[in-house]
Amino acid sequence: MAATRVITAATQPTSCFLSKRAFLLPAKTSSCGALSFNRRRAALVLKSKKQRPFSCTAIYNPQVKVQEDGQSETLDYRVFFLDGSGKKVSPWHDIPLTLGDGVFNFIVEIPKESKAKMEVATDEDFTPIKQDTKKGKLRYYPYNINWNYGLLPQTWEDPSQANSEVEGAFGDNDPVDVVEIGEAQRKIGEVLKIKPLAALAMIDEGELDWKIVAISLDDPKAHLVNDVDDVEKHFPGTLTAIRDWFRDYKIPDGKPANRFGLGDKPANKDYALKIIHETNESWAKLVKRSVDAGDLSLF
């Protein structure tokens, strides 16, 4: 049976795209840069092999339901997101990225102190969360991850764009990852309000895979940390531990260690915000079909 739980996701002010000035949406519409769409999804003719309706709406409902289909740690397990009317929505495309004032939505894929490799299925309709597989088998990290891990909605690391600041590495074709350092273990599919603190430029088999280090606003220490130096002061050793964890987790499987750009050091908050802005712009091009979506689902 499918289990349904309700999570709260703040959605005002909201937009599909970041801008210097946040704004409120009218009750039944959502803005997408220069394009405006009704809440009813606009059907467009797509160029991809799969003919799918396309929308750049952002949820205008303070509650998002999470529906778990199937048994956890099985190939069929999926975590779907539902709007207030019970319709499926995409956690990647339909939950707004920015809430204004430097606050962003973060979707938990992997709770801290767990090792099942959960991820948004970017090639499936409505992009539910599922457990990653390799050669038909469920994937697990070799040891627990020590922080809540997930994605920033409405971001995309473009695999056709080389980053001149990080060894010319190309994006990994996924949303941007977040490592949330708060004390609480969160649930799969939980939507948290976070503030970014730092960024790590991981290079995984030649692909750029940004890790945004952040903290949930409801964490007891959230008021103490606002930038990378604050993390070192109030969470000593955490940034090094995050880097080392992601550098080494593939070694037990016989693969080489991952590498990090930017001098092997975490970048500050401003740089993290720059990365978020750039990948949000890349996502905008993706959903507007300015770039080839390949097998990615756009709803």
mmCIF file of all heavy atoms in Angstrom, residues 9-19 21-33 35-37 39 56-62 64 92-101 103-105 153-154 191 280 283:
data_model
loop_
_atom_site.group_PDB
_atom_site.id
_atom_site.type_symbol
_atom_site.label_atom_id
_atom_site.label_comp_id
_atom_site.label_asym_id
_atom_site.label_seq_id
_atom_site.Cartn_x
_atom_site.Cartn_y
_atom_site.Cartn_z
ATOM 1 N N ALA A 9 5.921 23.032 2.738
ATOM 2 C CA ALA A 9 6.931 23.706 1.931
ATOM 3 C C ALA A 9 6.495 25.138 1.717
ATOM 4 O O ALA A 9 5.515 25.395 1.026
ATOM 5 C CB ALA A 9 7.101 23.009 0.579
ATOM 6 N N ALA A 10 7.198 26.077 2.324
ATOM 7 C CA ALA A 10 6.857 27.479 2.127
ATOM 8 C C ALA A 10 7.078 27.844 0.670
ATOM 9 O O ALA A 10 8.053 27.447 0.058
ATOM 10 C CB ALA A 10 7.721 28.358 3.017
ATOM 11 N N THR A 11 6.167 28.634 0.104
ATOM 12 C CA THR A 11 6.264 28.922 -1.320
ATOM 13 C C THR A 11 6.078 30.386 -1.682
ATOM 14 O O THR A 11 5.837 30.704 -2.833
ATOM 15 C CB THR A 11 5.214 28.103 -2.094
ATOM 16 O OG1 THR A 11 3.927 28.409 -1.580
ATOM 17 C CG2 THR A 11 5.490 26.634 -1.968
ATOM 18 N N GLN A 12 6.155 31.295 -0.745
ATOM 19 C CA GLN A 12 6.044 32.703 -1.105
ATOM 20 C C GLN A 12 7.180 33.479 -0.486
ATOM 21 O O GLN A 12 7.528 33.227 0.656
ATOM 22 C CB GLN A 12 4.716 33.287 -0.589
ATOM 23 C CG GLN A 12 3.489 32.715 -1.243
ATOM 24 C CD GLN A 12 2.243 33.410 -0.743
ATOM 25 O OE1 GLN A 12 2.237 33.986 0.338
ATOM 26 N NE2 GLN A 12 1.203 33.372 -1.522
ATOM 27 N N PRO A 13 7.775 34.465 -1.199
ATOM 28 C CA PRO A 13 7.569 34.702 -2.614
ATOM 29 C C PRO A 13 8.239 33.633 -3.444
ATOM 30 O O PRO A 13 9.166 32.997 -2.977
ATOM 31 C CB PRO A 13 8.232 36.062 -2.832
ATOM 32 C CG PRO A 13 9.294 36.091 -1.781
ATOM 33 C CD PRO A 13 8.731 35.365 -0.586
ATOM 34 N N THR A 14 7.790 33.403 -4.674
ATOM 35 C CA THR A 14 8.340 32.315 -5.463
ATOM 36 C C THR A 14 8.369 32.624 -6.941
ATOM 37 O O THR A 14 7.556 33.361 -7.446
ATOM 38 C CB THR A 14 7.544 31.013 -5.221
ATOM 39 O OG1 THR A 14 8.127 29.983 -5.971
ATOM 40 C CG2 THR A 14 6.103 31.165 -5.623
ATOM 41 N N SER A 15 9.318 32.029 -7.603
ATOM 42 C CA SER A 15 9.434 32.161 -9.048
ATOM 43 C C SER A 15 10.171 30.968 -9.571
ATOM 44 O O SER A 15 10.902 30.308 -8.850
ATOM 45 C CB SER A 15 10.205 33.436 -9.405
ATOM 46 O OG SER A 15 10.557 33.453 -10.766
ATOM 47 N N CYS A 16 9.988 30.653 -10.849
ATOM 48 C CA CYS A 16 10.792 29.597 -11.449
ATOM 49 C C CYS A 16 12.257 29.996 -11.493
ATOM 50 O O CYS A 16 13.132 29.156 -11.409
ATOM 51 C CB CYS A 16 10.306 29.307 -12.863
ATOM 52 S SG CYS A 16 8.771 28.372 -12.900
ATOM 53 N N PHE A 17 12.519 31.287 -11.650
ATOM 54 C CA PHE A 17 13.875 31.737 -11.830
ATOM 55 C C PHE A 17 14.282 32.705 -10.743
ATOM 56 O O PHE A 17 13.470 33.476 -10.240
ATOM 57 C CB PHE A 17 14.041 32.433 -13.190
ATOM 58 C CG PHE A 17 13.536 31.611 -14.326
ATOM 59 C CD1 PHE A 17 12.813 32.187 -15.346
ATOM 60 C CD2 PHE A 17 13.775 30.246 -14.366
ATOM 61 C CE1 PHE A 17 12.344 31.417 -16.401
ATOM 62 C CE2 PHE A 17 13.315 29.479 -15.412
ATOM 63 C CZ PHE A 17 12.598 30.062 -16.435
ATOM 64 N N LEU A 18 15.554 32.689 -10.404
ATOM 65 C CA LEU A 18 16.092 33.657 -9.476
ATOM 66 C C LEU A 18 16.128 35.034 -10.126
ATOM 67 O O LEU A 18 16.358 35.175 -11.319
ATOM 68 C CB LEU A 18 17.514 33.271 -9.074
ATOM 69 C CG LEU A 18 17.665 32.095 -8.130
ATOM 70 C CD1 LEU A 18 19.146 31.789 -7.970
ATOM 71 C CD2 LEU A 18 17.057 32.388 -6.786
ATOM 72 N N SER A 19 15.918 36.037 -9.329
ATOM 73 C CA SER A 19 16.080 37.405 -9.805
ATOM 74 C C SER A 19 16.583 38.229 -8.638
ATOM 75 O O SER A 19 16.597 37.787 -7.497
ATOM 76 C CB SER A 19 14.747 37.968 -10.303
ATOM 77 O OG SER A 19 13.803 38.013 -9.253
ATOM 78 N N ARG A 21 15.195 40.691 -7.400
ATOM 79 C CA ARG A 21 14.096 41.147 -6.584
ATOM 80 C C ARG A 21 12.994 40.097 -6.574
ATOM 81 O O ARG A 21 12.445 39.746 -7.599
ATOM 82 C CB ARG A 21 13.545 42.471 -7.138
ATOM 83 C CG ARG A 21 12.505 43.105 -6.244
ATOM 84 C CD ARG A 21 12.136 44.486 -6.758
ATOM 85 N NE ARG A 21 11.599 44.415 -8.121
ATOM 86 C CZ ARG A 21 11.190 45.482 -8.794
ATOM 87 N NH1 ARG A 21 11.288 46.675 -8.256
ATOM 88 N NH2 ARG A 21 10.706 45.354 -10.022
ATOM 89 N N ALA A 22 12.660 39.584 -5.403
ATOM 90 C CA ALA A 22 11.617 38.569 -5.300
ATOM 91 C C ALA A 22 10.250 39.225 -5.474
ATOM 92 O O ALA A 22 10.073 40.404 -5.213
ATOM 93 C CB ALA A 22 11.690 37.876 -3.936
ATOM 94 N N PHE A 23 9.272 38.429 -5.898
ATOM 95 C CA PHE A 23 7.937 38.973 -6.049
ATOM 96 C C PHE A 23 6.931 37.908 -5.702
ATOM 97 O O PHE A 23 7.212 36.724 -5.691
ATOM 98 C CB PHE A 23 7.704 39.481 -7.474
ATOM 99 C CG PHE A 23 7.920 38.433 -8.518
ATOM 100 C CD1 PHE A 23 6.878 37.650 -8.951
ATOM 101 C CD2 PHE A 23 9.182 38.247 -9.071
ATOM 102 C CE1 PHE A 23 7.080 36.685 -9.905
ATOM 103 C CE2 PHE A 23 9.380 37.270 -10.041
ATOM 104 C CZ PHE A 23 8.333 36.486 -10.457
ATOM 105 N N LEU A 24 5.679 38.327 -5.417
ATOM 106 C CA LEU A 24 4.616 37.406 -5.073
ATOM 107 C C LEU A 24 3.840 37.007 -6.314
ATOM 108 O O LEU A 24 3.595 37.831 -7.199
ATOM 109 C CB LEU A 24 3.661 38.038 -4.065
ATOM 110 C CG LEU A 24 4.258 38.353 -2.695
ATOM 111 C CD1 LEU A 24 3.208 39.031 -1.836
ATOM 112 C CD2 LEU A 24 4.748 37.088 -2.022
ATOM 113 N N LEU A 25 3.432 35.739 -6.345
ATOM 114 C CA LEU A 25 2.625 35.287 -7.453
ATOM 115 C C LEU A 25 1.163 35.560 -7.179
ATOM 116 O O LEU A 25 0.714 35.490 -6.044
ATOM 117 C CB LEU A 25 2.786 33.769 -7.622
ATOM 118 C CG LEU A 25 4.151 33.279 -8.054
ATOM 119 C CD1 LEU A 25 4.123 31.770 -8.081
ATOM 120 C CD2 LEU A 25 4.501 33.822 -9.415
ATOM 121 N N PRO A 26 0.383 35.844 -8.208
ATOM 122 C CA PRO A 26 -1.058 35.878 -8.029
ATOM 123 C C PRO A 26 -1.560 34.490 -7.706
ATOM 124 O O PRO A 26 -0.869 33.499 -7.921
ATOM 125 C CB PRO A 26 -1.575 36.374 -9.384
ATOM 126 C CG PRO A 26 -0.471 36.073 -10.355
ATOM 127 C CD PRO A 26 0.803 36.172 -9.558
ATOM 128 N N ALA A 27 -2.769 34.397 -7.239
ATOM 129 C CA ALA A 27 -3.262 33.169 -6.632
ATOM 130 C C ALA A 27 -3.222 31.944 -7.522
ATOM 131 O O ALA A 27 -3.071 30.852 -7.042
ATOM 132 C CB ALA A 27 -4.699 33.375 -6.147
ATOM 133 N N LYS A 28 -3.333 32.116 -8.852
ATOM 134 C CA LYS A 28 -3.419 30.924 -9.683
ATOM 135 C C LYS A 28 -2.449 30.926 -10.851
ATOM 136 O O LYS A 28 -2.633 30.228 -11.824
ATOM 137 C CB LYS A 28 -4.847 30.756 -10.218
ATOM 138 C CG LYS A 28 -5.847 30.418 -9.122
ATOM 139 C CD LYS A 28 -7.216 30.127 -9.719
ATOM 140 C CE LYS A 28 -8.216 29.759 -8.633
ATOM 141 N NZ LYS A 28 -9.553 29.454 -9.194
ATOM 142 N N THR A 29 -1.415 31.723 -10.751
ATOM 143 C CA THR A 29 -0.442 31.730 -11.830
ATOM 144 C C THR A 29 0.948 31.627 -11.282
ATOM 145 O O THR A 29 1.187 31.835 -10.108
ATOM 146 C CB THR A 29 -0.540 33.024 -12.676
ATOM 147 O OG1 THR A 29 -0.253 34.139 -11.834
ATOM 148 C CG2 THR A 29 -1.917 33.177 -13.289
ATOM 149 N N SER A 30 1.891 31.305 -12.163
ATOM 150 C CA SER A 30 3.297 31.232 -11.798
ATOM 151 C C SER A 30 4.107 31.849 -12.909
ATOM 152 O O SER A 30 3.825 31.645 -14.075
ATOM 153 C CB SER A 30 3.708 29.774 -11.587
ATOM 154 O OG SER A 30 5.062 29.697 -11.285
ATOM 155 N N SER A 31 5.136 32.578 -12.541
ATOM 156 C CA SER A 31 5.937 33.264 -13.548
ATOM 157 C C SER A 31 7.202 32.506 -13.837
ATOM 158 O O SER A 31 7.828 31.958 -12.955
ATOM 159 C CB SER A 31 6.288 34.667 -13.058
ATOM 160 O OG SER A 31 7.168 35.300 -13.946
ATOM 161 N N CYS A 32 7.606 32.476 -15.100
ATOM 162 C CA CYS A 32 8.823 31.798 -15.523
ATOM 163 C C CYS A 32 9.648 32.756 -16.350
ATOM 164 O O CYS A 32 9.637 32.707 -17.576
ATOM 165 C CB CYS A 32 8.487 30.556 -16.328
ATOM 166 S SG CYS A 32 7.779 29.260 -15.334
ATOM 167 N N GLY A 33 10.354 33.644 -15.697
ATOM 168 C CA GLY A 33 11.118 34.636 -16.425
ATOM 169 C C GLY A 33 10.181 35.470 -17.276
ATOM 170 O O GLY A 33 9.247 36.065 -16.801
ATOM 171 N N LEU A 35 8.207 34.251 -19.479
ATOM 172 C CA LEU A 35 7.033 33.469 -19.827
ATOM 173 C C LEU A 35 6.124 33.338 -18.639
ATOM 174 O O LEU A 35 6.565 33.233 -17.509
ATOM 175 C CB LEU A 35 7.448 32.055 -20.290
ATOM 176 C CG LEU A 35 8.385 32.000 -21.499
ATOM 177 C CD1 LEU A 35 8.751 30.557 -21.784
ATOM 178 C CD2 LEU A 35 7.708 32.612 -22.714
ATOM 179 N N SER A 36 4.818 33.330 -18.875
ATOM 180 C CA SER A 36 3.858 33.174 -17.797
ATOM 181 C C SER A 36 2.902 32.057 -18.148
ATOM 182 O O SER A 36 2.394 31.993 -19.265
ATOM 183 C CB SER A 36 3.072 34.474 -17.568
ATOM 184 O OG SER A 36 2.168 34.306 -16.510
ATOM 185 N N PHE A 37 2.665 31.157 -17.180
ATOM 186 C CA PHE A 37 1.829 29.998 -17.429
ATOM 187 C C PHE A 37 0.690 29.934 -16.417
ATOM 188 O O PHE A 37 0.858 30.260 -15.256
ATOM 189 C CB PHE A 37 2.636 28.688 -17.297
ATOM 190 C CG PHE A 37 3.675 28.528 -18.359
ATOM 191 C CD1 PHE A 37 4.908 29.162 -18.250
ATOM 192 C CD2 PHE A 37 3.420 27.758 -19.473
ATOM 193 C CE1 PHE A 37 5.857 29.011 -19.228
ATOM 194 C CE2 PHE A 37 4.380 27.599 -20.455
ATOM 195 C CZ PHE A 37 5.602 28.226 -20.332
ATOM 196 N N ARG A 39 -1.907 27.798 -13.988
ATOM 197 C CA ARG A 39 -1.670 26.611 -13.169
ATOM 198 C C ARG A 39 -1.996 25.339 -13.938
ATOM 199 O O ARG A 39 -1.455 24.282 -13.667
ATOM 200 C CB ARG A 39 -2.495 26.672 -11.885
ATOM 201 C CG ARG A 39 -1.890 27.499 -10.786
ATOM 202 C CD ARG A 39 -0.601 26.903 -10.327
ATOM 203 N NE ARG A 39 -0.784 25.522 -9.955
ATOM 204 C CZ ARG A 39 -0.520 25.056 -8.767
ATOM 205 N NH1 ARG A 39 -0.081 25.839 -7.833
ATOM 206 N NH2 ARG A 39 -0.699 23.794 -8.486
ATOM 207 N N CYS A 56 6.328 25.221 -16.480
ATOM 208 C CA CYS A 56 7.331 25.836 -15.614
ATOM 209 C C CYS A 56 6.630 26.440 -14.408
ATOM 210 O O CYS A 56 7.001 27.487 -13.902
ATOM 211 C CB CYS A 56 8.110 26.889 -16.388
ATOM 212 S SG CYS A 56 9.514 27.538 -15.481
ATOM 213 N N THR A 57 5.568 25.766 -13.949
ATOM 214 C CA THR A 57 4.848 26.266 -12.790
ATOM 215 C C THR A 57 5.616 25.991 -11.527
ATOM 216 O O THR A 57 6.419 25.075 -11.447
ATOM 217 C CB THR A 57 3.472 25.591 -12.666
ATOM 218 O OG1 THR A 57 3.655 24.174 -12.603
ATOM 219 C CG2 THR A 57 2.573 25.938 -13.825
ATOM 220 N N ALA A 58 5.385 26.800 -10.522
ATOM 221 C CA ALA A 58 5.889 26.539 -9.177
ATOM 222 C C ALA A 58 4.683 26.370 -8.277
ATOM 223 O O ALA A 58 3.669 27.032 -8.447
ATOM 224 C CB ALA A 58 6.754 27.699 -8.691
ATOM 225 N N ILE A 59 4.762 25.460 -7.358
ATOM 226 C CA ILE A 59 3.617 25.142 -6.504
ATOM 227 C C ILE A 59 3.169 26.372 -5.732
ATOM 228 O O ILE A 59 3.955 27.031 -5.078
ATOM 229 C CB ILE A 59 3.993 24.015 -5.526
ATOM 230 C CG1 ILE A 59 4.251 22.725 -6.311
ATOM 231 C CG2 ILE A 59 2.893 23.786 -4.513
ATOM 232 C CD1 ILE A 59 4.819 21.624 -5.462
ATOM 233 N N TYR A 60 1.881 26.657 -5.803
ATOM 234 C CA TYR A 60 1.326 27.758 -5.015
ATOM 235 C C TYR A 60 0.422 27.156 -3.944
ATOM 236 O O TYR A 60 -0.764 27.403 -3.871
ATOM 237 C CB TYR A 60 0.549 28.723 -5.916
ATOM 238 C CG TYR A 60 0.193 30.015 -5.232
ATOM 239 C CD1 TYR A 60 1.113 31.049 -5.169
ATOM 240 C CD2 TYR A 60 -1.038 30.185 -4.627
ATOM 241 C CE1 TYR A 60 0.804 32.226 -4.542
ATOM 242 C CE2 TYR A 60 -1.351 31.369 -3.989
ATOM 243 C CZ TYR A 60 -0.435 32.390 -3.955
ATOM 244 O OH TYR A 60 -0.733 33.565 -3.314
ATOM 245 N N ASN A 61 0.980 26.310 -3.142
ATOM 246 C CA ASN A 61 0.231 25.645 -2.086
ATOM 247 C C ASN A 61 1.199 25.370 -0.945
ATOM 248 O O ASN A 61 2.257 24.800 -1.159
ATOM 249 C CB ASN A 61 -0.365 24.322 -2.602
ATOM 250 C CG ASN A 61 -1.367 23.720 -1.632
ATOM 251 O OD1 ASN A 61 -1.068 23.568 -0.459
ATOM 252 N ND2 ASN A 61 -2.542 23.373 -2.122
ATOM 253 N N PRO A 62 0.870 25.783 0.287
ATOM 254 C CA PRO A 62 1.830 25.651 1.383
ATOM 255 C C PRO A 62 2.076 24.216 1.832
ATOM 256 O O PRO A 62 3.007 23.962 2.566
ATOM 257 C CB PRO A 62 1.184 26.466 2.509
ATOM 258 C CG PRO A 62 -0.276 26.444 2.192
ATOM 259 C CD PRO A 62 -0.357 26.465 0.693
ATOM 260 N N VAL A 64 2.708 20.143 0.712
ATOM 261 C CA VAL A 64 3.016 19.149 -0.313
ATOM 262 C C VAL A 64 2.920 17.784 0.343
ATOM 263 O O VAL A 64 3.512 17.546 1.382
ATOM 264 C CB VAL A 64 4.432 19.361 -0.881
ATOM 265 C CG1 VAL A 64 4.719 18.317 -1.955
ATOM 266 C CG2 VAL A 64 4.576 20.756 -1.456
ATOM 267 N N TRP A 92 11.665 18.300 -8.578
ATOM 268 C CA TRP A 92 12.739 19.014 -9.267
ATOM 269 C C TRP A 92 12.223 20.281 -9.952
ATOM 270 O O TRP A 92 12.812 21.348 -9.827
ATOM 271 C CB TRP A 92 13.379 18.077 -10.288
ATOM 272 C CG TRP A 92 14.530 18.660 -11.068
ATOM 273 C CD1 TRP A 92 15.277 19.764 -10.747
ATOM 274 C CD2 TRP A 92 15.073 18.149 -12.295
ATOM 275 N NE1 TRP A 92 16.257 19.973 -11.705
ATOM 276 C CE2 TRP A 92 16.152 18.997 -12.661
ATOM 277 C CE3 TRP A 92 14.757 17.063 -13.106
ATOM 278 C CZ2 TRP A 92 16.895 18.780 -13.818
ATOM 279 C CZ3 TRP A 92 15.511 16.843 -14.250
ATOM 280 C CH2 TRP A 92 16.570 17.697 -14.598
ATOM 281 N N HIS A 93 11.093 20.175 -10.641
ATOM 282 C CA HIS A 93 10.624 21.288 -11.449
ATOM 283 C C HIS A 93 9.557 22.159 -10.786
ATOM 284 O O HIS A 93 9.462 23.349 -11.094
ATOM 285 C CB HIS A 93 10.076 20.766 -12.772
ATOM 286 C CG HIS A 93 11.051 19.988 -13.586
ATOM 287 N ND1 HIS A 93 12.299 20.481 -13.942
ATOM 288 C CD2 HIS A 93 10.993 18.726 -14.097
ATOM 289 C CE1 HIS A 93 12.948 19.581 -14.646
ATOM 290 N NE2 HIS A 93 12.184 18.502 -14.754
ATOM 291 N N ASP A 94 8.740 21.598 -9.919
ATOM 292 C CA ASP A 94 7.561 22.314 -9.426
ATOM 293 C C ASP A 94 7.710 22.937 -8.047
ATOM 294 O O ASP A 94 6.912 23.804 -7.677
ATOM 295 C CB ASP A 94 6.348 21.371 -9.413
ATOM 296 C CG ASP A 94 5.883 21.023 -10.820
ATOM 297 O OD1 ASP A 94 6.019 21.888 -11.700
ATOM 298 O OD2 ASP A 94 5.396 19.906 -11.036
ATOM 299 N N ILE A 95 8.658 22.492 -7.266
ATOM 300 C CA ILE A 95 8.908 23.147 -5.978
ATOM 301 C C ILE A 95 9.862 24.307 -6.228
ATOM 302 O O ILE A 95 10.907 24.127 -6.854
ATOM 303 C CB ILE A 95 9.484 22.162 -4.948
ATOM 304 C CG1 ILE A 95 8.407 21.138 -4.565
ATOM 305 C CG2 ILE A 95 9.990 22.889 -3.704
ATOM 306 C CD1 ILE A 95 8.854 20.093 -3.584
ATOM 307 N N PRO A 96 9.515 25.509 -5.797
ATOM 308 C CA PRO A 96 10.341 26.680 -6.115
ATOM 309 C C PRO A 96 11.697 26.628 -5.437
ATOM 310 O O PRO A 96 11.827 26.127 -4.324
ATOM 311 C CB PRO A 96 9.508 27.861 -5.605
ATOM 312 C CG PRO A 96 8.633 27.267 -4.551
ATOM 313 C CD PRO A 96 8.324 25.871 -5.004
ATOM 314 N N LEU A 97 12.682 27.144 -6.117
ATOM 315 C CA LEU A 97 14.035 27.204 -5.568
ATOM 316 C C LEU A 97 14.155 28.240 -4.457
ATOM 317 O O LEU A 97 14.599 27.931 -3.351
ATOM 318 C CB LEU A 97 15.029 27.530 -6.689
ATOM 319 C CG LEU A 97 16.459 27.892 -6.275
ATOM 320 C CD1 LEU A 97 17.130 26.738 -5.532
ATOM 321 C CD2 LEU A 97 17.275 28.305 -7.506
ATOM 322 N N THR A 98 13.772 29.464 -4.765
ATOM 323 C CA THR A 98 14.055 30.560 -3.842
ATOM 324 C C THR A 98 12.824 31.026 -3.085
ATOM 325 O O THR A 98 11.711 31.026 -3.620
ATOM 326 C CB THR A 98 14.668 31.755 -4.604
ATOM 327 O OG1 THR A 98 14.896 32.831 -3.691
ATOM 328 C CG2 THR A 98 13.743 32.232 -5.724
ATOM 329 N N LEU A 99 13.054 31.398 -1.837
ATOM 330 C CA LEU A 99 12.007 31.957 -0.992
ATOM 331 C C LEU A 99 12.281 33.420 -0.673
ATOM 332 O O LEU A 99 11.554 34.039 0.088
ATOM 333 C CB LEU A 99 11.898 31.146 0.316
ATOM 334 C CG LEU A 99 11.504 29.677 0.118
ATOM 335 C CD1 LEU A 99 11.693 28.899 1.405
ATOM 336 C CD2 LEU A 99 10.075 29.568 -0.367
ATOM 337 N N GLY A 100 13.351 33.974 -1.241
ATOM 338 C CA GLY A 100 13.725 35.356 -0.977
ATOM 339 C C GLY A 100 14.619 35.473 0.240
ATOM 340 O O GLY A 100 14.711 34.563 1.084
ATOM 341 N N ASP A 101 15.317 36.606 0.359
ATOM 342 C CA ASP A 101 16.183 36.898 1.505
ATOM 343 C C ASP A 101 17.252 35.837 1.727
ATOM 344 O O ASP A 101 17.621 35.539 2.871
ATOM 345 C CB ASP A 101 15.353 37.074 2.787
ATOM 346 C CG ASP A 101 14.405 38.259 2.695
ATOM 347 O OD1 ASP A 101 14.779 39.270 2.060
ATOM 348 O OD2 ASP A 101 13.292 38.177 3.245
ATOM 349 N N VAL A 103 17.110 32.627 1.276
ATOM 350 C CA VAL A 103 16.581 31.347 1.757
ATOM 351 C C VAL A 103 16.116 30.519 0.567
ATOM 352 O O VAL A 103 15.492 31.043 -0.362
ATOM 353 C CB VAL A 103 15.416 31.567 2.747
ATOM 354 C CG1 VAL A 103 14.840 30.233 3.210
ATOM 355 C CG2 VAL A 103 15.884 32.393 3.938
ATOM 356 N N PHE A 104 16.412 29.215 0.620
ATOM 357 C CA PHE A 104 16.099 28.331 -0.499
ATOM 358 C C PHE A 104 15.413 27.068 0.003
ATOM 359 O O PHE A 104 15.574 26.671 1.162
ATOM 360 C CB PHE A 104 17.381 27.948 -1.243
ATOM 361 C CG PHE A 104 18.111 29.115 -1.828
ATOM 362 C CD1 PHE A 104 19.010 29.849 -1.064
ATOM 363 C CD2 PHE A 104 17.889 29.501 -3.142
ATOM 364 C CE1 PHE A 104 19.678 30.937 -1.598
ATOM 365 C CE2 PHE A 104 18.556 30.590 -3.682
ATOM 366 C CZ PHE A 104 19.446 31.313 -2.912
ATOM 367 N N ASN A 105 14.651 26.446 -0.880
ATOM 368 C CA ASN A 105 14.085 25.132 -0.571
ATOM 369 C C ASN A 105 15.111 24.043 -0.868
ATOM 370 O O ASN A 105 15.849 24.113 -1.851
ATOM 371 C CB ASN A 105 12.828 24.883 -1.407
ATOM 372 C CG ASN A 105 11.577 25.477 -0.787
ATOM 373 O OD1 ASN A 105 11.416 25.464 0.431
ATOM 374 N ND2 ASN A 105 10.681 26.001 -1.614
ATOM 375 N N PRO A 153 15.874 22.301 -5.849
ATOM 376 C CA PRO A 153 14.978 22.251 -7.004
ATOM 377 C C PRO A 153 15.293 23.374 -7.988
ATOM 378 O O PRO A 153 15.915 24.379 -7.644
ATOM 379 C CB PRO A 153 13.592 22.439 -6.375
ATOM 380 C CG PRO A 153 13.849 23.204 -5.113
ATOM 381 C CD PRO A 153 15.177 22.696 -4.616
ATOM 382 N N GLN A 154 14.858 23.168 -9.204
ATOM 383 C CA GLN A 154 15.007 24.177 -10.258
ATOM 384 C C GLN A 154 16.463 24.603 -10.473
ATOM 385 O O GLN A 154 16.780 25.760 -10.716
ATOM 386 C CB GLN A 154 14.110 25.382 -9.969
ATOM 387 C CG GLN A 154 12.630 25.001 -9.954
ATOM 388 C CD GLN A 154 11.693 26.158 -9.738
ATOM 389 O OE1 GLN A 154 12.098 27.233 -9.305
ATOM 390 N NE2 GLN A 154 10.420 25.960 -10.026
ATOM 391 N N VAL A 191 10.944 18.760 2.785
ATOM 392 C CA VAL A 191 11.362 20.019 2.170
ATOM 393 C C VAL A 191 11.743 20.989 3.279
ATOM 394 O O VAL A 191 10.915 21.323 4.136
ATOM 395 C CB VAL A 191 10.256 20.623 1.293
ATOM 396 C CG1 VAL A 191 10.743 21.925 0.643
ATOM 397 C CG2 VAL A 191 9.812 19.635 0.222
ATOM 398 N N ASN A 280 20.529 27.644 -11.782
ATOM 399 C CA ASN A 280 19.117 27.967 -11.967
ATOM 400 C C ASN A 280 18.877 28.486 -13.387
ATOM 401 O O ASN A 280 17.893 28.138 -14.044
ATOM 402 C CB ASN A 280 18.675 29.009 -10.936
ATOM 403 C CG ASN A 280 17.251 29.482 -11.138
ATOM 404 O OD1 ASN A 280 17.022 30.651 -11.446
ATOM 405 N ND2 ASN A 280 16.282 28.604 -10.944
ATOM 406 N N TRP A 283 18.908 25.536 -15.656
ATOM 407 C CA TRP A 283 17.616 24.843 -15.566
ATOM 408 C C TRP A 283 16.554 25.574 -16.388
ATOM 409 O O TRP A 283 15.738 24.947 -17.072
ATOM 410 C CB TRP A 283 17.187 24.730 -14.103
ATOM 411 C CG TRP A 283 15.788 24.214 -13.931
ATOM 412 C CD1 TRP A 283 15.381 22.909 -13.912
ATOM 413 C CD2 TRP A 283 14.601 25.001 -13.766
ATOM 414 N NE1 TRP A 283 14.015 22.830 -13.742
ATOM 415 C CE2 TRP A 283 13.522 24.105 -13.646
ATOM 416 C CE3 TRP A 283 14.360 26.379 -13.698
ATOM 417 C CZ2 TRP A 283 12.198 24.542 -13.466
ATOM 418 C CZ3 TRP A 283 13.049 26.821 -13.520
ATOM 419 C CH2 TRP A 283 11.988 25.910 -13.412
#
